[in-house]
Amino acid sequence: MPIAPDSPRLTVLTGPSGVGKGTLVTALRQQHPELWLSVSATTRAPRAGEEEGVHYFFHSPESFEALAQAGGFLEWASFAGNSYGTPRGPVEAQLAAGVPVLLEIELEGARQVRRNWPQAFQIFLKPPSLEELERRIRGRGTETEAAIQRRLERASEELQAEAEFDAVVENSDLAKALAELERLIGLA
Ligand code: ADP
Ligand code: 5GP
């Protein structure tokens, strides 16, 4: 199995909505505070409990577009009716300081990073099955039925892209998936 290259290390974590990215990233950061997680910009409305600057920087479509036009994003993409982007400056500053950086982004963004930053290590997180993925999205209870349908349609496309990634981790047993991510990112 491959392991992430030496620092400055940029790791990209991608996987369909509901697979458990957020859950695993939260656990990773609790155990490894040295890992720096990029906070993305989005036009999506905050979910209950989400805080500005912690979970996302929340933008209007106009201010997101202005940032994109000004070259402020390392990558950005549309996902299920909203825009999401990685602010460029903070990522570059952390990498320059030798801090390991994690991006949790969707497939199109991961492809852009691959083109512009080929030394990044790219991990695809996959669910045990589409049925389990749907159970998890519904169980989270944060999306409308229309948004769930858009995310499930997108999930089918994303699952076909796993071969593009440096490593694939299945999130069936949470503790096992966490240990595998730690090993791949070089945190274990
Ligand atoms: P994502 O960030 O990929 O959209 P979340 O981290 O929000 O996904 O997880 C979606 C739901 O699945 C949450 O309710 C979470 O508690 C649950 N979940 C995550 N990992 C597992 C797992 N290994 N087994 C069962 N449920 C899980
Ligand atoms: P959610 O709305 O569930 O928070 O995120 C939806 C999707 O957007 C997830 O797949 C998440 O990984 C992705 N995402 C979050 N931030 C970014 C980003 O900065 N860029 C890209 N391309 N995708 C992102």
Side-chain angles (χ1 to χ4, degrees), residues 165-185:
F165 286 76
D166 297 311
V168 177
V169 173
E170 184 176 305
N171 182 21
S172 329
D173 179 90
L174 192 67
K176 279 190 192 153
L178 181 61
E180 183 65 0
L181 286 180
E182 285 175 318
R183 194 186 68 77
L184 287 166
I185 300 173

Side-chain angles (χ1 to χ4, degrees), residues 13-17 21 38-42 44 47 50 56 75-77 79 84-87 104-110 112 140 143 151 158:
L13 182 66
T14 297
S17 181
K21 299 182 298 298
S38 166
V39 179
S40 297
T42 184
R44 164 166 86 56
R47 291 177 185 143
E50 283 186 337
Y56 280 106
E75 59 72 37
W76 70 271
F79 179 91
Y84 296 79
T86 303
E104 189 251 279
I105 61 177
E106 55 67 67
L107 180 62
E108 289 308 322
Q112 290 171 43
R140 190 171 64 191
E143 260 70 41
R151 283 164 184 255
E158 293 195 326

Side-chain angles (χ1 to χ4, degrees), residues 88-165:
R88 178 187 298 278
V91 171
E92 291 182 346
Q94 295 294 334
L95 288 174
V99 175
V101 169
L102 180 64
L103 307 185
E104 189 251 279
I105 61 177
E106 55 67 67
L107 180 62
E108 289 308 322
R111 287 174 169 157
Q112 290 171 43
V113 173
R114 201 172 297 142
R115 282 196 294 274
N116 300 327
W117 207 300
Q119 67 273 42
F121 190 75
Q122 299 224 342
I123 302 172
F124 188 81
L125 191 64
K126 73 172 185 184
S129 65
L130 264 178
E131 291 71 27
E132 172 62 13
L133 184 71
E134 181 165 356
R135 260 194 298 280
R136 288 185 193 175
I137 298 182
R138 291 189 183 284
R140 190 171 64 191
T142 51
E143 260 70 41
T144 62
E145 182 59 30
I148 289 172
Q149 290 306 329
R150 279 199 298 274
R151 283 164 184 255
L152 287 173
E153 279 163 29
R154 183 69 176 250
S156 305
E157 291 166 33
E158 293 195 326
L159 288 171
Q160 290 170 29
E162 69 170 68
E164 295 175 19
F165 286 76

Side-chain angles (χ1 to χ4, degrees), residues 59-70:
H59 285 270
S60 65
E62 294 74 23
S63 70
F64 187 98
E65 174 66 20
L67 271 174
Q69 291 295 328

